[in-house]
Amino acid sequence: MLDKLGYEGIKRQFLSWGFGTALLAIGTIWGFPIFYAFFTSLKNPSELYQWPVTIFPRDPTFQPYLKIFQAVPFGRYYLNSILVCTVSVILVLWLGSMAGYAFSKLEFKGRSILLIIILGTMMVPPQALLIPLFVVLRNIRVLNTYWALILPYTALSLPLAIFILSGFFDQIPDDLQDCARVDGANWYSIYWRIMLPLARPALGTVAIYTFVRSWKDFIIAITMTNSRAMRTVPVGIAMISNKASPEFEVIMAASMLASVPMILVFLIMQKQFIKGLTGGAVKG
Amino acid sequence: MIKKLQDLIKQKSIAGLLFAMPALLIIGVIMIFPIGYLFFLSFHKWVGHPVWNGVSNYVSIFQDGNFLKSLFNTFFYTAINLTLGFALSFIFALMMNQAKRGIKFFRAIIFSPVVMPTVVVGSIWMWLLNSSFGVVNALLKRIGLIASNIGWLGSSWMARLSISAVNVWLGTGLTAVILLAGLQGIPKSLYEAAKVDGANAFQQFVHVTIPQMRGIIIIALILKTIGSFKTFGQIYVMTFGGPTYSTSSIVFYLYREAFSFFNFGRAATMSVVLFLIVITLSVVQLYFRSED
């Protein structure tokens, strides 16, 4: 063993173990806020507001989780978020793949200039468009409805979707489409039956990107809706956090419910996630 | 035959336009029209409808001490993110690149804040930094670093630094993952060649890693800057911009200006400032990305 590895090899082996251990240690410290939030969500309120401060719950309880559904209509917020994000994902997948297919495979007039404009909108910070967007949504009479969130979420994710999907369709040879054409298939059935099934991996990346981005949004939700019934999860959490005497065990329980699904999806599909969230900066 | 071909092309171009139309329509109404309307509004006063106001919004926002304070805070957050945040990201990326185990766990941990809503991150840290029962005060007291509790979000500079720390915690994962991808893309042969030439680890880092990573480092720095300029959710829950605007960011200030005080014109002018800064940075980033 020693002979085979030699001095260099042993050094490298040692270093890699060293770094591995360091990663575990730093990771535990870096993740402490999340772990601590989880422990807090399992505590009785009396345990929170006393010294000495405890880290692990003395006698764990699910009371805070029950309380968010009783004290605030968190179930409603959760359903709002799921509904708005799901519809946005479906719209982005459908409209984005149709546009991506058109830009890649159907030569129409002005498509290169249109594609450049669309890609340009990826650079626009939505935070800077709040005021004109508010006026637009007011004028088309959708303020304080689900559409006030679905339309912006769809529009914000579409440019990257078109970018990813048209790039994907570019790799599919034209022959496939031409054959189907000769066989008498119309454009929509070529798109729906041939192109879309092939694009499955790219569609996955787009779906995750759109869902997470929409799920995380706070600023659009808080400006474009104002009724309690329309609140999404982040807005609901901000409201219970900004109370004069916040109940932190309840806030932490809500925070866990807001982030654990995202973290789990991330753990399962790290690659697509990273590709989407870095906006294509990382080729995965 | 030629006619048939022409027909096909014509049909194809009409189909193409129809296919792209719904997406173009939504992007046009929700993104592109508002950009033009934003600039229009920035020269108007809002009284339920826009009234021409010339450049007075532009003059007035730069005379508004609290806006300038918010601008300063945003630059301050950016500076901390680009120095401390970036250094940490780079160190983490180098460690992940060297280690054989623990990578998955580590990457999941540092990336988790990236997928969490910013108001959740803000809420968690507000509890950690709670001045009476926060665990940060408790731990610092336990190891004897402080004698009495600190009000992390109570005074101007303390609050500004606390928000900066949260920003670093929030953004390090994304940058580290981008840098890691860059590190993994460097051909091993370059390091071996450097080793043959007698370069030690530090020299390899300076003469191989840094030049090879130039493009991706610039991209990561610019993405971090753009992200810093969008800071909003964590401020909204942790400090609501206070005490007296010492943690307010550009986005937070323009949000308040528009939706608490209904000065849409002035808020639009502030948005134009934000818009121009971010677009300029993005164009520079695009340039480096195409060069890469």
Side-chain angles (χ1 to χ4, degrees):
Chain A
M1 182 75 177
L2 264 176
D3 280 348
K4 218 164 114 197
L5 285 168
Y7 172 69
E8 273 292 308
I10 293 170
K11 199 172 119 190
R12 199 175 313 137
Q13 207 70 348
F14 188 75
L15 269 178
S16 123
W17 273 80
F19 280 121
T21 315
L23 283 185
L24 288 177
I26 298 173
T28 310
I29 296 171
W30 199 261
F32 178 74
I34 301 174
F35 305 141
Y36 188 69
F38 175 63
F39 298 146
T40 303
S41 74
L42 297 175
K43 287 178 185 173
N44 285 304
S46 59
E47 197 180 336
L48 262 66
Y49 308 105
Q50 63 177 31
W51 281 88
V53 168
T54 57
I55 288 183
F56 298 103
R58 214 172 294 137
D59 68 296
T61 166
F62 277 112
Q63 213 52 45
Y65 287 89
L66 299 177
K67 208 168 167 194
I68 42 174
F69 290 99
Q70 292 158 355
V72 285
F74 200 79
R76 171 75 195 234
Y77 303 165
Y78 222 82
L79 286 178
N80 285 345
S81 274
I82 289 175
L83 177 85
V84 166
C85 294
T86 309
V87 175
S88 304
V89 167
I90 293 170
L91 281 176
V92 168
L93 288 179
W94 187 39
L95 305 182
S97 60
M98 274 206 316
Y101 171 57
F103 279 113
S104 166
K105 289 274 180 276
L106 304 169
E107 295 98 21
F108 59 92
K109 239 194 186 146
R111 71 168 174 163
S112 42
I113 182 82
L114 280 173
L115 192 60
I116 290 171
I117 293 174
I118 288 178
L119 298 187
T121 60
M122 280 206 283
M123 302 191 278
V124 177
Q127 291 82 351
L129 294 184
L130 289 176
I131 293 115
L133 190 58
F134 180 85
V135 178
V136 167
L137 294 176
R138 193 194 63 170
N139 288 352
I140 58 174
R141 297 182 193 286
V142 295
L143 273 187
N144 203 32
T145 67
Y146 289 125
W147 290 108
L149 303 181
I150 294 170
L151 289 176
Y153 294 166
T154 305
L156 287 175
S157 292
L158 266 176
L160 185 72
I162 295 174
F163 174 67
I164 291 178
L165 288 161
S166 72
F168 191 87
F169 289 131
D170 280 342
Q171 294 166 358
I172 298 172
D174 282 354
D175 307 1
L176 213 61
Q177 166 176 298
D178 295 341
C179 287
R181 212 44 210 158
V182 170
D183 289 345
N186 65 37
W187 295 114
Y188 195 83
S189 70
I190 294 176
Y191 152 75
W192 187 257
R193 284 166 200 238
I194 301 174
M195 295 297 171
L196 215 49
L198 285 172
R200 223 172 273 153
L203 290 173
T205 305
V206 170
I208 291 173
Y209 170 79
T210 307
F211 196 89
V212 174
R213 192 179 171 167
S214 311
W215 185 270
K216 277 181 66 174
D217 168 73
F218 172 61
I219 197 162
I220 293 175
I222 193 148
T223 44
M224 305 307 161
T225 66
N226 56 23
S227 73
R228 233 179 132 93
M230 292 306 301
R231 280 179 191 165
T232 58
V233 170
V235 177
I237 290 177
M239 292 305 139
I240 53 175
S241 291
N242 275 13
K243 275 191 191 162
S245 52
E247 300 165 281
F248 281 107
E249 76 286 359
V250 178
I251 299 170
M252 292 306 111
S255 298
M256 284 300 110
L257 290 183
S259 27
V260 166
M262 298 296 115
I263 295 175
L264 285 181
V265 177
F266 166 67
L267 289 180
I268 299 164
M269 298 187 258
Q270 294 206 18
K271 244 192 187 148
Q272 288 98 314
F273 233 92
I274 287 164
K275 205 173 169 186
L277 286 178
T278 54
V282 174
K283 298 162 199 102
Chain B
M1 178 65 195
I2 289 175
K3 189 162 183 317
K4 216 173 167 188
L5 204 69
Q6 275 173 340
D7 266 6
L8 190 77
I9 290 168
K10 206 170 167 190
Q11 236 188 332
K12 205 175 188 178
S13 78
I14 291 171
L17 210 55
L18 286 175
F19 271 61
M21 197 50 80
L24 293 175
L25 210 64
I26 292 188
I27 294 173
V29 173
I30 303 294
M31 305 276 297
I32 296 171
F33 172 74
I35 297 172
Y37 197 53
L38 175 72
F39 281 86
F40 171 85
L41 281 175
S42 75
F43 294 102
H44 289 75
K45 197 181 164 77
W46 186 266
V47 285
H49 56 89
V51 175
W52 177 256
N53 201 17
V55 291
S56 37
N57 287 336
Y58 286 87
V59 177
S60 97
I61 63 164
F62 285 107
Q63 286 168 348
D64 176 348
N66 288 332
F67 176 67
L68 294 178
K69 213 168 171 182
S70 307
L71 210 57
F72 166 78
N73 293 335
T74 310
F75 280 107
F76 184 77
Y77 297 146
T78 311
I80 300 282
N81 271 341
L82 290 183
T83 49
L84 182 64
F86 189 79
L88 274 172
S89 304
F90 212 122
I91 293 169
F92 288 172
L94 287 170
M95 288 174 68
M96 285 193 282
N97 197 36
Q98 290 294 323
K100 278 213 179 66
R101 39 174 220 135
I103 304 174
K104 275 206 174 132
F105 167 77
F106 188 74
R107 193 167 62 174
I109 292 279
I110 63 167
F111 209 80
S112 288
V114 181
V115 303
M116 290 159 71
T118 49
V119 291
V120 166
V121 171
S123 298
I124 291 178
W125 277 95
M126 186 167 68
W127 170 230
L128 261 76
L129 296 175
N130 187 285
S131 55
S132 312
F133 301 102
V135 70
V136 172
N137 274 333
L139 289 174
L140 289 178
K141 257 180 167 171
R142 175 83 58 83
I143 56 174
L145 271 179
I146 54 170
S148 58
N149 284 351
I150 292 180
W152 297 102
L153 302 172
S155 59
S156 296
W157 272 101
M158 207 44 137
R160 202 173 279 138
L161 288 169
S162 300
I163 297 272
S164 306
V166 173
N167 291 341
V168 168
W169 185 74
L170 179 70
T172 297
L174 190 64
T175 314
V177 167
I178 294 174
L179 292 174
L180 176 64
L183 286 174
Q184 287 168 341
I186 303 174
K188 293 269 177 293
S189 57
L190 289 178
Y191 287 105
E192 272 146 29
K195 229 181 274 173
V196 171
D197 290 344
N200 61 31
F202 180 71
Q203 286 167 327
Q204 284 174 34
F205 180 74
V206 173
H207 296 290
V208 179
T209 312
I210 296 289
Q212 284 290 312
M213 291 278 285
R214 188 175 155 270
I216 208 127
I217 287 174
I218 294 170
I219 290 171
L221 284 173
I222 295 174
L223 284 177
K224 220 168 173 60
T225 311
I226 294 172
S228 313
F229 271 93
K230 296 177 177 174
T231 311
F232 178 72
Q234 57 272 50
I235 296 170
Y236 188 100
V237 289
M238 288 178 72
T239 60
F240 211 67
T244 59
Y245 293 100
S246 14
T247 55
S248 168
S249 64
I250 302 183
V251 176
F252 182 80
Y253 197 74
L254 75 88
Y255 165 80
R256 290 278 285 161
E257 189 74 14
F259 299 101
S260 301
F261 310 121
F262 300 102
N263 294 325
F264 276 20
R266 268 168 53 97
T269 314
M270 295 168 193
S271 307
V272 167
V273 174
L274 172 70
F275 180 88
L276 292 177
I277 294 173
V278 172
I279 289 289
T280 311
L281 289 166
S282 301
V283 170
V284 176
Q285 192 234 161
L286 212 62
Y287 170 78
F288 280 106
R289 200 178 273 196
S290 64
E291 198 185 46
D292 200 35

